[in-house]
Amino acid sequence: MFASRLHTRAVRPVLQSETMECGLACLAMVANAHRHDLDLPYLRALFPPSRRGMTFAEIVEVAGQIGLDAQGLAVSQVEELAGLKGPSILHWNGNHFVVLEKVVRGTYHVHDPAFGPRLYAREDMERYFAGVALEFEPRIDFKAVRASRKSLFWSVYRSCRGIEHTVGLIAVMSLAATLFALATPVFLQTAIDTVIPQYDLDLLTVVIVGLLLFTAFEAVSRWLRDLVTLRAATMFEIHFTRNIIGHALRLPLGFFESRHPGDFVTRLTSVDQIKTFLVTGFVSSIADGIMSVLLVGMMYYYAPAMAGVSVLTLVVAVLVRFATYPEIARATTLSLESRSEEQARLLDGLKQIAGLKASNTGGFFALKWLESFTRFANFGYRSKKLSIDADLYLHLIFALGTVATLYMGVTDVMKSTLSVGVLYAFFALRAAFFTTMNALIMSFLQLSVMRVHFGRLDDVLDETPEPASEGVHIARVIRHSVALEGLAVQFAANDAPLIAEVNLTIDIARHETLAIIGPSGCGKSSLLRILASLHPVRRGRLLVDGRPIDAFGVHEYRANIGCVFADDQLFAGTVAENVALYSPDISQAQIEAALDQVGLLDAVHGLPQGFATLLSAESPLLSTGQRRRLILARALCRRPRLLLLDEVTANLDPASEAELVQALLRFPAAKVFVTHSRHVLPYADRVLTVHGGTLVETRPGTAEAA
């Protein structure tokens, strides 16, 4: 059967009206199964399919717009389809999409938008299934959670499909394991009070067999609980981390420019702590609470006075725990913050290792990093020392309670008001009681630490995604122009503008070529990022075909542009992945054409594994100039209408620079060069110079490179 289908409804058939909207119809069925209420005309109005239909990449993108995260899977054997999270979308017969709802006893329940529900045998699936599937998970709407002031604990918990069922299993198995463990004191009492005095070997055999069976049941229950807990923890970690990362990648560029990547990465470690608490600690505390009541009841049954002393000991221990924990929580918070600083500094050093080695300053950097690491270690030491101190106080309290209880018990045995077996059984129950209650108390105290971890994630979750990630996506093409009206280039609303009153129109239809020059730091690159819609327009307007960019659509606008920025680097991946930027819609032919246009195709064919060669930002397989050209190919393969190029000819010799610029001029797109090279200027239709905080147009033949 499919993975847990809790939180989903039965698939409601949706039939396509046109040949090319099968993907949209399938997505409507999946969305409604995930408790949306969408029909095909509504989706068609928002996301009109093209004449070629929808691709898998477009289905993934539209799914994100309606709150579903999709994951593509290559499935080699049709039997593996039973393990998918249903309902899922299958590529069918090479040119069609269908919805697989479930697999029951070898029968595949399929909803075909062209015909309706169908049942298929394994042989039919092998004939029609094209080997690629999409499975879906509902996305956590952090914005809605914040707006409704719901507990993020419960929102995260409930959003993970099937988690309640799994948590229930964990609780039941924890309870079963503890109940089996409770039998040990009973067997112990029977052995001491009955078997030994009566020399009853038959009863001893019964006691031993019963003890073995109950011990085996306890061990199996704990094993099953740990196995289910591991599965639930992994499932929750994947779900929550994917939502956190997905939300972060939808945030504006400014969010990342104001934070160090190391700080963001270390914040994600909080997910592991949250996962451990929610899946393990929280569930265990439910079972611990129930068992504590049972244990106290059995203790009072055996020896009420000693049980009262034990409960009093626990009360004192709880007061000590709550008194010492706030300071431990503060030290833990400082430790986490200093860890972020240390990791950020280390990442900086690793990124700049070549410069450190060349300047013989690696040792000095290590000392600076050690300063951050020592701060982190000291806060960690303080947190652990406080915990050790608290454990000492608790040990003394428990020792005093044990001595007092033992004195009372031995006295009662000497008075013959209590048997030795009952005394043994009581102390076994008392040990289990303190262990259980300590775990329960620690779970409650962990709530304070969880607030720290959720607070570290709040910096990400409270940020509003940019419009490009939440807007309606409709395929649009820039036909005429992109214009800036009264634009000011400034970092913040109250800052003095670097460039004031920019009025500029780029003729997209004529494939106009512009060059922007000026001294370093004058705002050229920032202007280019505004043109790329990456920085907000604080004053003025960015118009696309005469309409504000928000009316045209930020996502649609970005689909029409290709960008190369001065700080762009290669990813750790293959040549093909670096050019396509992981987009499944970029074909091999597009990749090869783009590499050929920048003069890199022969060089790539000469690499050890060709297009499958692994590269990275520091890869020695390509020169600095070749890496820049490969990044340019990344922009060209998307076939943009507007190219925004920041120092694209850097690290090239004059001959290669001229060859590359001439190749770009032949590319059918408008182009904006931000450059310090005078060799680019003769090829520009217009040259714009940033001078004295204004953008001034000069003639190409007379412009001087800054």
XYZ file of all heavy atoms in Angstrom, residues 615-656:
325
model
N 32.381 19.813 -11.316
C 33.054 21.098 -11.151
C 32.704 21.675 -9.780
O 31.805 21.207 -9.099
C 32.615 22.085 -12.239
C 32.858 21.695 -13.693
C 32.259 22.756 -14.619
C 34.345 21.530 -13.967
N 33.426 22.721 -9.409
C 33.107 23.486 -8.207
C 33.677 24.876 -8.392
O 34.351 25.163 -9.394
C 33.699 22.828 -6.952
O 35.118 22.887 -6.992
N 33.414 25.752 -7.436
C 33.901 27.128 -7.542
C 35.420 27.180 -7.585
O 36.003 28.097 -8.159
C 33.377 27.960 -6.369
N 36.088 26.199 -6.971
C 37.548 26.194 -6.935
C 38.144 25.175 -7.898
O 39.330 24.864 -7.828
C 38.030 25.878 -5.514
C 37.591 26.869 -4.455
C 36.161 26.641 -3.987
O 35.643 25.523 -4.199
O 35.567 27.577 -3.432
N 37.332 24.628 -8.808
C 37.800 23.556 -9.689
C 38.968 24.010 -10.561
O 38.884 25.044 -11.235
C 36.649 23.068 -10.574
O 37.122 22.121 -11.502
N 40.078 23.247 -10.585
C 41.215 23.610 -11.439
C 41.046 23.168 -12.889
O 41.905 23.444 -13.727
C 42.374 22.860 -10.774
C 41.730 21.636 -10.188
C 40.348 22.057 -9.770
N 39.951 22.460 -13.193
C 39.762 21.961 -14.555
C 39.475 23.078 -15.544
O 39.708 22.918 -16.752
C 38.615 20.948 -14.583
C 38.841 19.658 -13.781
C 37.590 18.814 -13.776
C 40.018 18.878 -14.376
N 38.942 24.205 -15.071
C 38.650 25.348 -15.923
C 39.401 26.563 -15.402
O 39.528 26.753 -14.187
C 37.147 25.644 -15.941
C 36.220 24.572 -16.529
C 34.773 25.014 -16.399
C 36.561 24.279 -17.982
N 39.879 27.391 -16.315
C 40.524 28.633 -15.915
C 39.475 29.617 -15.408
O 38.266 29.392 -15.561
C 41.282 29.239 -17.093
O 40.353 29.680 -18.079
N 39.937 30.715 -14.811
C 39.000 31.722 -14.304
C 38.141 32.268 -15.440
O 36.921 32.442 -15.290
C 39.772 32.867 -13.632
O 40.586 32.323 -12.586
C 38.816 33.884 -13.041
N 38.770 32.540 -16.590
C 38.012 33.043 -17.739
C 37.015 32.027 -18.257
O 35.893 32.385 -18.639
N 37.402 30.751 -18.261
C 36.472 29.713 -18.714
C 35.297 29.561 -17.756
O 34.167 29.322 -18.190
C 37.220 28.383 -18.851
C 38.144 28.312 -20.063
C 38.921 27.016 -20.102
O 39.392 26.521 -19.080
N 39.079 26.458 -21.293
N 35.551 29.712 -16.467
C 34.449 29.639 -15.504
C 33.458 30.778 -15.732
O 32.241 30.584 -15.650
C 34.987 29.664 -14.071
C 35.692 28.385 -13.655
C 35.781 28.258 -12.143
N 36.709 29.195 -11.567
C 37.996 28.958 -11.343
N 38.500 27.785 -11.679
N 38.772 29.867 -10.784
N 33.970 31.981 -16.044
C 33.077 33.106 -16.315
C 32.252 32.849 -17.573
O 31.059 33.169 -17.622
C 33.885 34.397 -16.493
C 34.496 34.943 -15.236
C 33.445 35.367 -14.237
N 32.736 36.572 -14.642
C 31.659 37.042 -14.041
N 31.130 36.388 -13.023
N 31.076 38.141 -14.456
N 32.857 32.250 -18.576
C 32.114 31.967 -19.809
C 31.071 30.871 -19.587
O 29.998 30.901 -20.183
C 33.083 31.570 -20.919
C 33.765 32.774 -21.580
C 34.542 32.390 -22.805
N 35.843 31.838 -22.444
C 36.640 31.186 -23.288
N 36.253 30.984 -24.527
N 37.812 30.736 -22.894
N 31.381 29.908 -18.726
C 30.394 28.879 -18.427
C 29.198 29.491 -17.698
O 28.045 29.127 -17.951
C 31.032 27.770 -17.586
C 30.190 26.499 -17.424
C 31.080 25.262 -17.435
C 29.377 26.518 -16.147
N 29.461 30.450 -16.797
C 28.370 31.152 -16.112
C 27.547 31.951 -17.118
O 26.316 32.041 -17.003
C 28.944 32.049 -15.002
C 29.514 31.179 -13.872
C 27.876 32.986 -14.443
C 30.319 31.944 -12.851
N 28.209 32.530 -18.127
C 27.478 33.239 -19.177
C 26.598 32.268 -19.968
O 25.449 32.594 -20.312
C 28.462 33.950 -20.103
C 27.869 34.632 -21.336
C 26.847 35.692 -20.932
C 28.970 35.255 -22.196
N 27.110 31.065 -20.242
C 26.306 30.056 -20.946
C 25.059 29.710 -20.149
O 24.001 29.422 -20.716
C 27.149 28.804 -21.189
N 25.162 29.757 -18.837
C 24.012 29.518 -17.958
C 22.893 30.516 -18.254
O 21.700 30.157 -18.232
C 24.482 29.643 -16.510
C 23.452 29.459 -15.462
C 24.040 29.817 -14.096
N 25.091 28.903 -13.687
C 25.901 29.119 -12.652
N 25.791 30.226 -11.940
N 26.826 28.236 -12.338
N 23.249 31.774 -18.507
C 22.245 32.794 -18.824
C 21.711 32.624 -20.239
O 20.521 32.806 -20.495
C 22.848 34.186 -18.647
N 22.582 32.259 -21.188
C 22.170 32.163 -22.588
C 21.251 30.982 -22.852
O 20.357 31.065 -23.714
C 23.402 32.061 -23.492
C 24.365 33.248 -23.492
C 25.512 32.998 -24.467
C 23.646 34.542 -23.851
N 21.448 29.868 -22.136
C 20.668 28.665 -22.461
C 19.191 28.840 -22.134
O 18.358 28.065 -22.605
C 21.241 27.448 -21.737
S 20.906 27.393 -19.976
N 18.841 29.861 -21.369
C 17.439 30.118 -21.051
C 16.742 30.922 -22.159
O 15.573 31.221 -22.072
C 17.339 30.872 -19.721
C 18.003 30.122 -18.567
C 17.955 30.916 -17.289
N 16.604 31.030 -16.776
C 16.069 32.128 -16.272
N 16.780 33.239 -16.246
N 14.843 32.129 -15.811
N 17.526 31.305 -23.181
C 17.010 32.069 -24.323
C 16.263 33.318 -23.877
O 15.076 33.518 -24.185
C 16.112 31.184 -25.184
C 16.855 29.999 -25.781
C 15.930 29.002 -26.447
N 16.671 27.868 -26.966
C 16.125 26.731 -27.404
N 14.814 26.602 -27.360
N 16.865 25.756 -27.853
N 16.945 34.201 -23.151
C 16.267 35.381 -22.583
C 16.023 36.457 -23.627
O 16.650 36.483 -24.694
C 17.268 35.854 -21.521
C 18.595 35.463 -22.074
C 18.374 34.158 -22.766
N 15.140 37.377 -23.284
C 14.894 38.547 -24.126
C 15.787 39.717 -23.716
O 15.979 40.649 -24.489
C 13.430 38.967 -23.993
C 12.431 37.922 -24.479
C 12.267 37.974 -25.965
N 11.590 39.206 -26.376
C 11.620 39.693 -27.610
N 12.337 39.093 -28.541
N 10.968 40.807 -27.905
N 16.315 39.662 -22.484
C 17.176 40.723 -21.977
C 18.319 40.095 -21.199
O 18.101 39.287 -20.300
C 16.381 41.666 -21.053
C 17.176 42.720 -20.281
C 17.871 43.692 -21.241
C 16.273 43.473 -19.302
N 19.560 40.477 -21.561
C 20.750 39.993 -20.870
C 21.325 41.112 -20.014
O 21.554 42.224 -20.513
C 21.804 39.523 -21.875
C 21.635 38.120 -22.463
C 22.598 37.924 -23.632
C 21.894 37.066 -21.392
N 21.561 40.830 -18.741
C 22.153 41.780 -17.810
C 23.513 41.223 -17.401
O 23.591 40.188 -16.729
C 21.255 41.970 -16.589
C 19.815 42.417 -16.898
C 18.970 42.433 -15.634
C 19.803 43.783 -17.564
N 24.588 41.893 -17.817
C 25.930 41.327 -17.742
C 26.850 42.248 -16.954
O 27.124 43.378 -17.374
C 26.484 41.103 -19.155
C 25.550 40.332 -20.114
C 26.065 40.395 -21.535
C 25.412 38.892 -19.644
N 27.327 41.764 -15.805
C 28.210 42.542 -14.943
C 29.624 41.986 -15.059
O 29.910 40.876 -14.602
C 27.719 42.445 -13.493
C 28.415 43.454 -12.585
O 29.342 44.131 -13.057
O 28.022 43.552 -11.411
N 30.525 42.779 -15.693
C 31.925 42.397 -15.873
C 32.040 41.001 -16.485
O 32.848 40.173 -16.056
C 32.665 42.443 -14.529
C 32.679 43.808 -13.873
C 33.462 44.851 -14.681
O 34.149 44.479 -15.659
O 33.372 46.039 -14.341
N 31.249 40.748 -17.519
C 31.217 39.422 -18.112
C 32.501 39.096 -18.860
O 32.847 37.923 -19.064
C 29.984 39.288 -19.038
C 30.175 40.116 -20.307
C 29.706 37.840 -19.377
N 33.257 40.126 -19.284
C 34.493 39.886 -20.033
C 35.727 39.934 -19.131
O 36.852 39.932 -19.630
C 34.649 40.919 -21.151
O 34.698 42.229 -20.583
C 33.498 40.831 -22.132
N 35.539 39.995 -17.822
C 36.685 40.011 -16.912
C 37.481 38.721 -17.059
O 36.939 37.654 -17.365
C 36.207 40.174 -15.473
N 38.798 38.826 -16.883
C 39.720 37.683 -16.951
C 39.894 37.131 -18.359
O 40.354 35.997 -18.529
C 39.257 36.543 -16.012
C 39.029 37.000 -14.587
O 37.909 37.026 -14.104
N 40.101 37.391 -13.917
N 39.503 37.910 -19.381
C 39.708 37.494 -20.767
C 40.738 38.397 -21.430
O 40.783 39.605 -21.166
C 38.396 37.548 -21.558
C 37.253 36.615 -21.108
C 36.037 36.828 -21.993
C 37.684 35.162 -21.144
N 41.559 37.797 -22.298
C 42.500 38.606 -23.068
C 41.730 39.393 -24.118
O 40.574 39.066 -24.440
C 43.547 37.705 -23.721
C 42.918 36.681 -24.657
O 42.681 37.023 -25.833
O 42.622 35.555 -24.189
N 42.314 40.465 -24.669
C 41.572 41.325 -25.617
C 40.968 40.567 -26.788
O 39.839 40.842 -27.197
C 42.629 42.336 -26.066
C 43.574 42.416 -24.907
C 43.634 41.038 -24.339
N 41.709 39.597 -27.344
C 41.193 38.868 -28.506
C 39.978 38.029 -28.110
O 38.947 38.027 -28.802
C 42.284 37.980 -29.092
N 40.085 37.319 -26.971
C 38.952 36.500 -26.511
C 37.781 37.383 -26.127
O 36.612 37.029 -26.349
C 39.369 35.646 -25.314
O 40.399 34.758 -25.670
